[in-house]
Amino acid sequence: MATTPTSQAHPLRHLLSLEHMPQAQMLALLTRAQALLEADRSRAAYDTLAGATVVNLMSEPSTRTRASFELAARRLGGNVLNLDVSNSSRKKGESLLDTVYTLQAMRSDIFIVRTATVGAPQMIADHVDPDVAVISAGEANVSHPTQGLLDMLSIRQRKPDFANLVVCIVGDIAHSRVACSAAHALACLGVGELRIVAPPELMPAADAFAGARRFNKMADGLKDADVVMTLRIQRERMAQSSTPDPNEFHAAYGLNSERLRLAHPQAIVMHPGPMIRGCEITSTVADGPQSVIRQQVSNGLAVRMSILEQVWRTLRDIDTGADIDADAGGV
Ligand code: CP
């Protein structure tokens, strides 16, 4: 059985946003994720989450986040329940909170929540028992903290000097929780420059993304960038009448080989997935040598293992009455 660190320097109960996460805590989670990633190559086994029950409570579709949370919990020796929300008593009118109370009564410990409702993860966190935790797996267009952490790990593996990095996020920024959490994490790690590139109708409000440079033209935003992150159009968050035409979007904002040459020659290409090939990115770029898209998926599993370890350790300390600030960090 592989060993896990026992120090509790960075207690973490709920993880709902990266906005106020201390840098030391973020770095500790990333460092542990890197170690878990390397151990996973040799199929190390853990029992860190023995006795824990993790519930995937996802009210929006997911492949990567749901699967990686399940695998992360299982590889750490925990139990996993995947509630099929679309076929649950939520459909008969049960409130989200009553669903949570019901599962909590079956001794669920950690709720992984994906929702289209702003504020729902915080509302659950405010009502669960003191020894139960909530981790956001994506909240509407406002927050996707575990994605933000896996994106930082993916950047750090190739470009560790954040202070001298130019990061360019391209696409539907206005509806992107991925971009929000990336911006918070990049600020936390002291990124040199953040650029956001989008057509005017997909730019976020003027008071969002403080400090980011805004561009409407791909060529201007991409120039000499070290990291290029492309985003899909979030059709599910728009009225059909205001959804951009995919061909027009591709013509103006699709990342192809020619455009990628405007970035730094060693620039990396990222995409949180799911990606729409031929719209925001071409297959040549997505599958090309500068792409780290599949590594992002592997990193997602390691980051979620790292988070589950830390959250479970905090819950155990709460159970035993250890003197910790249980709500420190991440909330
Ligand atoms: N990036 C991401 O959240 O992907 P899924 O929707 O597949 O979980």
Side-chain angles (χ1 to χ4, degrees):
M1 199 65 66
T3 56
T4 54
T6 53
S7 77
Q8 185 59 301
H10 305 287
L12 177 69
R13 183 177 161 206
H14 305 305
L15 177 56
L16 309 184
S17 166
L18 298 179
E19 193 168 3
H20 302 297
M21 181 175 274
Q23 189 189 66
Q25 182 168 52
M26 189 174 291
L27 290 173
L29 287 168
L30 297 179
T31 299
R32 178 62 183 152
Q34 184 64 41
L36 286 161
L37 189 66
E38 284 156 23
D40 202 46
R41 290 196 190 104
S42 56
R43 301 193 185 273
Y46 297 87
D47 61 1
T48 326
L49 253 64
T53 297
V54 176
V55 177
N56 265 326
L57 191 59
M58 302 220 174
S59 308
E60 286 190 317
S62 171
T63 296
R64 281 148 283 267
T65 313
R66 192 180 88 65
S68 60
F69 263 117
E70 177 171 355
L71 288 172
R74 288 195 194 286
R75 287 186 193 177
L76 292 169
N79 303 309
V80 182
L81 171 68
N82 290 303
L83 188 76
D84 179 3
V85 176
S86 65
N87 209 20
S88 74
S89 288
R90 290 276 287 138
K91 290 290 158 193
K92 299 183 219 167
E94 184 170 72
S95 72
L96 177 59
L97 211 45
D98 278 330
T99 300
V100 168
Y101 287 148
T102 300
L103 297 167
Q104 186 178 257
M106 298 179 200
R107 209 183 46 71
S108 299
D109 300 293
I110 303 173
F111 287 93
I112 312 297
V113 178
R114 172 167 286 199
T115 175
T117 306
V118 176
Q122 182 69 62
M123 187 267 293
I124 298 170
D126 288 343
H127 287 86
V128 289
D129 286 343
D131 58 351
V132 172
V134 178
I135 300 174
S136 168
E139 175 185 355
N141 64 342
V142 300
S143 182
H144 195 348
T146 63
Q147 179 73 44
L149 289 172
L150 79 87
D151 287 341
M152 294 311 105
L153 182 61
S154 307
I155 294 173
R156 195 164 86 143
Q157 287 163 345
R158 302 288 190 101
K159 313 267 178 190
D161 183 10
F162 277 75
N164 287 304
L165 277 192
V166 175
V167 177
C168 176
I169 307 180
V170 184
D172 180 6
I173 315 282
H175 302 97
S176 176
R177 56 194 177 205
V178 172
C180 289
S181 285
H184 290 149
L186 287 165
C188 177
L189 297 179
V191 75
E193 183 179 329
L194 174 60
R195 302 175 185 170
I196 53 177
V197 181
E201 65 274 19
L202 297 180
M203 267 294 175
D207 59 351
F209 290 83
R213 295 181 67 197
R214 293 170 178 239
F215 298 88
N216 292 133
K217 289 200 175 115
M218 268 297 251
D220 297 338
L222 284 175
K223 194 170 173 354
D224 300 327
D226 301 292
V227 176
V228 183
M229 183 189 295
T230 55
L231 301 173
R232 85 184 159 88
I233 300 167
Q234 313 260 307
R235 294 175 185 284
E236 67 274 28
R237 305 198 197 287
M238 306 177 198
Q240 202 171 359
S241 55
S242 59
T243 305
D245 175 80
N247 294 323
E248 286 175 19
F249 184 86
H250 179 71
Y253 294 96
L255 185 64
N256 56 26
S257 304
E258 187 186 341
R259 286 188 172 134
L260 183 55
R261 279 195 283 276
L262 298 169
H264 189 282
Q266 269 84 51
I268 57 169
V269 173
M270 302 175 66
H271 194 305
M275 61 184 162
I276 311 301
R277 292 169 183 260
C279 185
E280 72 271 14
I281 192 166
T282 63
S283 284
T284 310
V285 173
D287 302 325
Q290 290 170 264
S291 170
V292 299
I293 294 170
R294 288 179 205 161
Q295 186 61 43
Q296 285 177 265
V297 177
S298 303
N299 290 340
L301 177 56
V303 156
R304 288 166 182 131
M305 287 174 78
S306 169
I307 293 163
L308 286 173
E309 268 190 358
Q310 191 62 13
V311 168
W312 181 237
R313 195 176 300 125
T314 302
L315 294 181
R316 296 278 48 78
D317 283 351
I318 291 170
D319 249 4
T320 56
D323 183 21
I324 58 161
D325 179 2
D327 287 325
V331 179

XYZ file of all heavy atoms in Angstrom, residues 61-66 114 137 144 147 177-178 272-274 304, ligand 1:
139
model
N -24.640 17.413 -17.656
C -23.829 16.329 -18.233
C -22.338 16.486 -17.924
O -21.841 17.592 -17.751
C -24.071 16.475 -19.747
C -25.301 17.298 -19.878
C -25.362 18.184 -18.676
N -21.647 15.371 -17.848
C -20.198 15.370 -17.616
C -19.623 14.025 -18.032
O -20.234 12.986 -17.785
C -19.904 15.601 -16.136
O -18.529 15.391 -15.859
N -18.470 14.056 -18.635
C -17.692 12.827 -18.866
C -16.445 12.853 -17.988
O -16.251 12.023 -17.100
C -17.291 12.695 -20.348
O -18.485 12.555 -21.117
C -16.398 11.481 -20.582
N -15.570 13.852 -18.231
C -14.275 13.920 -17.556
C -14.383 14.067 -16.046
O -13.761 13.323 -15.279
C -13.458 15.114 -18.106
C -12.786 14.871 -19.414
C -12.728 16.167 -20.211
N -14.060 16.375 -20.743
C -14.440 15.952 -21.943
N -13.567 15.399 -22.746
N -15.683 16.109 -22.353
N -15.180 15.047 -15.608
C -15.204 15.364 -14.172
C -15.836 14.220 -13.383
O -15.318 13.801 -12.352
C -15.966 16.683 -13.941
O -15.496 17.644 -14.883
C -15.758 17.197 -12.538
N -16.959 13.724 -13.880
C -17.650 12.645 -13.163
C -16.785 11.388 -13.108
O -16.596 10.782 -12.052
C -18.989 12.324 -13.825
C -19.865 11.427 -12.980
C -21.189 11.121 -13.645
N -21.173 9.979 -14.517
C -20.971 8.709 -14.141
N -20.714 8.414 -12.898
N -21.006 7.744 -15.003
N -22.339 19.156 -9.376
C -22.353 19.923 -10.627
C -23.762 20.451 -10.822
O -24.736 19.696 -10.709
C -21.933 19.076 -11.827
C -22.144 19.814 -13.153
C -21.462 19.158 -14.319
N -20.017 19.368 -14.270
C -19.218 19.223 -15.325
N -19.716 18.863 -16.491
N -17.914 19.411 -15.208
N -18.147 20.601 -8.744
C -17.680 19.972 -9.987
C -18.113 20.806 -11.183
O -18.181 20.312 -12.306
C -18.252 18.552 -10.086
N -15.417 26.430 -11.582
C -15.092 25.020 -11.826
C -13.700 24.808 -11.219
O -12.698 24.689 -11.922
C -15.103 24.746 -13.328
C -15.136 23.285 -13.698
N -14.925 22.260 -12.793
C -15.363 22.683 -14.896
C -15.014 21.100 -13.419
N -15.288 21.325 -14.684
N -11.252 21.956 -12.209
C -10.725 22.172 -13.563
C -9.607 23.213 -13.511
O -8.562 23.052 -14.150
C -11.840 22.642 -14.495
C -11.384 22.930 -15.924
C -11.067 21.684 -16.717
O -11.805 20.717 -16.661
N -9.982 21.698 -17.475
N -17.266 28.829 -16.941
C -16.784 28.665 -15.565
C -15.323 28.233 -15.564
O -14.583 28.498 -14.623
C -17.642 27.651 -14.830
C -17.747 26.284 -15.504
C -18.879 25.483 -14.902
N -19.112 24.190 -15.535
C -20.272 23.557 -15.508
N -21.307 24.106 -14.915
N -20.419 22.382 -16.067
N -14.893 27.567 -16.633
C -13.488 27.147 -16.749
C -12.588 28.388 -16.793
O -11.572 28.466 -16.092
C -13.282 26.284 -18.007
C -11.799 26.018 -18.244
C -14.057 24.983 -17.888
N -10.373 22.400 -22.102
C -10.914 21.634 -20.973
C -11.759 20.453 -21.405
O -11.986 19.529 -20.611
C -11.781 22.672 -20.240
C -12.182 23.649 -21.310
C -11.011 23.720 -22.250
N -12.211 20.456 -22.671
C -13.149 19.449 -23.130
C -14.532 19.727 -22.551
O -14.657 20.385 -21.520
N -15.577 19.246 -23.189
C -15.537 18.581 -24.486
C -15.221 19.584 -25.597
O -15.655 20.717 -25.537
C -16.965 18.027 -24.625
C -17.811 18.912 -23.771
C -16.952 19.365 -22.643
N -7.877 15.475 -8.589
C -9.074 15.122 -7.790
C -8.700 14.136 -6.680
O -9.279 14.186 -5.589
C -10.181 14.631 -8.718
C -10.746 15.827 -9.492
C -11.598 15.569 -10.660
N -11.975 16.856 -11.269
C -11.881 17.148 -12.566
N -11.446 16.249 -13.433
N -12.226 18.342 -13.008
N -13.992 19.882 -18.556
C -15.120 19.302 -18.068
O -15.693 19.740 -17.063
O -15.548 18.230 -18.798
P -16.858 17.383 -18.490
O -18.044 18.283 -18.736
O -16.814 16.218 -19.428
O -16.818 16.960 -17.052
